[in-house]
Amino acid sequence: MKTFFLTLIFALTTMLTFAQSTSEAPIQNISSDSAVVYRLFSTRNMYTFIKLDTRNGQMWQVQWSTKGNDYQFETTLSDISRVNKEDEKNGRFFLYPTTNIYNFILLDQMDGRAWQVQWGNKVEDRIVIRIY
């Protein structure tokens, strides 16, 4: 009987450990309207979103709060246009979540180029790096 309870406790502990895994990408609620200029992408941080200019790949980190203006901000993740002005098109760029809370993949849906996008609360933690 003692062995049965020990086995049961071990099995339940193992199941709870795997149930708390964070390897799943967050679910995105994205508008199906491809003609929009800006999209908000949720992160796993309930207060943080990434705003994407779908024409040129520019991005901002947007944080909201119920604690007041000191906790609300919009800061630049990347103010660099990924295409020439004449190549901008609504819906050209899209963000895909990864299993890492701080990282997304930015994809140019026209030519297939991709970038690693990392947001963070500190400026030194924010990066956008081309994936070759």
Side-chain angles (χ1 to χ4, degrees), residues 84-98:
N84 295 326
K85 190 73 170 167
E86 61 272 7
D87 294 328
E88 289 184 0
K89 181 182 179 209
N90 290 356
R92 180 171 182 152
F93 289 89
F94 197 84
L95 277 173
Y96 292 87
T98 68

Side-chain angles (χ1 to χ4, degrees), residues 103-129:
N103 285 271
F104 286 76
I105 302 296
L106 174 67
L107 179 68
D108 182 337
Q109 298 181 118
M110 302 289 284
D111 67 17
R113 291 178 298 152
W115 293 263
Q116 175 185 343
V117 176
Q118 181 174 301
W119 66 272
N121 292 327
K122 297 177 183 173
V123 174
E124 59 269 17
D125 292 336
R126 300 177 195 142
I127 59 169
V128 179
I129 302 172

Side-chain angles (χ1 to χ4, degrees), residues 23-29 42-44 96-101 103-104:
S23 63
E24 293 181 28
I27 297 171
Q28 297 291 333
N29 296 319
S42 61
T43 68
R44 287 200 183 167
Y96 292 87
T98 68
T99 56
N100 181 300
I101 184 174
N103 285 271
F104 286 76

Side-chain angles (χ1 to χ4, degrees), residues 40 47-53 57-64 71-80 117-128:
L40 275 180
Y47 301 107
T48 303
F49 287 80
I50 298 176
K51 181 171 82 172
L52 171 67
D53 184 329
Q58 293 176 326
M59 292 167 283
W60 298 264
Q61 182 175 323
V62 179
Q63 182 172 309
W64 67 276
Y71 298 95
Q72 300 171 348
F73 65 86
E74 181 174 308
T75 188
T76 303
L77 276 174
S78 175
D79 58 358
I80 298 169
V117 176
Q118 181 174 301
W119 66 272
N121 292 327
K122 297 177 183 173
V123 174
E124 59 269 17
D125 292 336
R126 300 177 195 142
I127 59 169
V128 179

